[in-house]
Structures are given as C-alpha cells and as structure tokens.
Amino acid sequence: MMSEIFGMIDLETIEKLAGIVSKNELSELSLSDGDKTITVKGKKNVVYESQTQKNVKPVIESDDEDNDNEDEGNVVRCPIVGTFYASPSPDKPPFVNVGDRVSKGDVLMIIESMKLMNEIQSEFDGVVQSILVSNGQTVEYDQPIMIIK
C-alpha cells in the first residue's frame, strides 16, 4: 500500500508526528518498531546536559551575545554544526579565556560533530575579547562563537 511506510506507519501518522514536533518546538521525535525507526526532525536544537557537564562553569563572557560587529574585532564563526567544548576534557583547563593572546593556528575550542572531536584553530592573531557560547552548548554552522581583537 502506497500510504504505508516501511510496513509500520502510514503517511497520516508521519504528518501527525511532524505536527507534534512543530507545535512543541522539538528538535526531533523518533518512533521505533523492532529494527525499523522513523525520526522526524524539527528546526529547534535542544541542549541536553550530561553528567560530565553538570559541574562545568559556563564560559559566556560577553555583555552582548549577538555582538558580531566587525568593528568590535574578528568574529570566529562555527565551521560545523555540533557541540562546543572549551577544553580538551572536563578535567582540563579551557584552550582560551577572555583576555588571552592567540596566534593564527592556535586551538580555540573543540566542536563535537557526529562523535568526532574537531579542534578549531584561530584564523587570527589577537586577544580573545569575548566568548559567546557556553561549554556543552549546541552550535550551528556560521554561528558567532568568539571575538578576537
């Protein structure tokens, strides 16, 4: 039957699930039946705090989180969608803090994407003026992360 998908769920049910995701502003909703799974993804990203992140101090260190004005400095933007980590592991110090001098090529952060830890290097020489996201926060492609002046 054309309206059956994978023999387990019909198109009307998928549309209802999509409506639930949209109405409740969910990031995604998965439905499983044995070895078959359907996932309906929404537009929102939800940040879940894991046990290892509960004792991590946020690194939001800017007066204006939306400040990506070039006059204020060079904006470091997220190159991929993922999770921002300020340090190599929870028990290690952050790669950089506000006020630190950085050189082109210095590691600024890790973005975890698809279980891969990606070290993000500075494209600029200067001083870290602000860090616009907190440790463990989900970040989007091209989102401003840091300002280096």
Side-chain angles (χ1 to χ4, degrees):
M1 175 183 260
M2 182 82 131
S3 66
E4 292 276 329
I5 308 250
F6 301 120
M8 68 176 249
I9 196 165
D10 59 40
L11 188 57
E12 182 179 330
T13 303
I14 293 174
E15 288 172 346
K16 286 179 183 177
L17 291 173
I20 291 169
V21 168
S22 178
K23 179 181 175 185
N24 295 298
E25 297 182 348
L26 302 174
S27 63
E28 70 180 47
L29 178 65
S30 294
L31 184 64
S32 296
D33 181 22
D35 62 342
K36 297 176 179 127
T37 301
I38 292 182
T39 301
V40 179
K41 294 189 176 189
K43 294 182 180 181
K44 289 259 184 186
N45 281 324
V46 179
V47 178
Y48 295 97
E49 185 176 272
S50 71
Q51 287 296 103
T52 59
Q53 296 170 347
K54 284 189 177 178
N55 296 326
V56 176
K57 180 179 146 191
V59 292
I60 297 174
E61 300 183 31
S62 173
D63 292 336
D64 183 6
E65 288 186 31
D66 295 326
N67 186 359
D68 61 352
N69 187 342
E70 291 295 327
D71 294 338
E72 296 296 318
N74 296 305
V75 179
V76 177
R77 296 182 177 275
C78 190
I80 54 178
V81 174
T83 303
F84 169 85
Y85 293 108
S87 62
S89 66
D91 59 333
K92 300 285 185 191
F95 291 108
V96 295
N97 292 301
V98 170
D100 287 354
R101 177 161 292 284
V102 295
S103 299
K104 189 174 184 172
D106 288 352
V107 176
L108 300 174
M109 69 194 86
I110 290 177
I111 303 293
E112 178 186 4
S113 181
M114 299 177 64
K115 305 288 183 192
L116 295 175
M117 299 298 184
N118 301 283
E119 289 187 344
I120 309 303
Q121 299 176 342
S122 179
E123 297 176 14
F124 313 106
D125 292 330
V127 176
V128 177
Q129 182 178 346
S130 60
I131 300 173
L132 307 173
V133 295
S134 59
N135 199 51
Q137 180 177 334
T138 300
V139 289
E140 297 292 327
Y141 172 75
D142 205 34
Q143 177 180 346
I145 303 290
M146 249 177 235
I147 298 178
I148 298 175
K149 191 169 183 178

